[in-house]
Amino acid sequence: MIVTVRLFAAYKELLGEEEILLDLDEDATVGDALALLKEQFPALAEQGYSPLTAVNLKHVSKRQTLEDGDELAIFPPVSGG
């Protein structure tokens, strides 16, 4: 199945991309997609890769199962004060 990954903030800047298409196995989870991204883009691991995630505009956990055509958005953790 094909999932569109939308990158935001530091992840977008780091990879120089706004969107990446991932080809995943059926029944893949958000966690599986994140692991594949880290494997394909080692620079993510160097940045302390622990993103916030949303699927089709809804916040989800890493256990969420993905479906063909889903949009997975990843955001760096927010900090500040």
Side-chain angles (χ1 to χ4, degrees):
M1 76 176 147
I2 302 297
V3 171
T4 301
V5 178
R6 299 219 20 169
L7 304 165
F8 291 90
Y11 297 144
K12 177 180 166 183
E13 292 174 20
L14 182 65
L15 300 184
E17 300 283 342
E18 287 187 22
E19 289 186 357
I20 296 171
L21 296 179
L22 284 184
D23 188 359
L24 298 165
D25 294 333
E26 294 297 320
D27 297 324
T29 65
V30 169
D32 296 330
L34 296 177
L36 181 58
L37 283 170
K38 191 163 82 169
E39 181 181 305
Q40 290 182 352
F41 301 98
L44 289 172
E46 296 168 10
Q47 291 292 314
Y49 183 57
S50 182
L52 302 173
T53 56
V55 173
N56 302 328
L57 303 176
K58 181 179 177 187
H59 176 72
V60 296
S61 76
K62 292 173 179 60
R63 294 174 293 182
Q64 174 72 38
T65 303
L66 294 165
E67 296 182 18
D68 188 47
D70 277 349
E71 179 182 86
L72 169 62
I74 62 171
F75 306 85
V78 178
S79 64

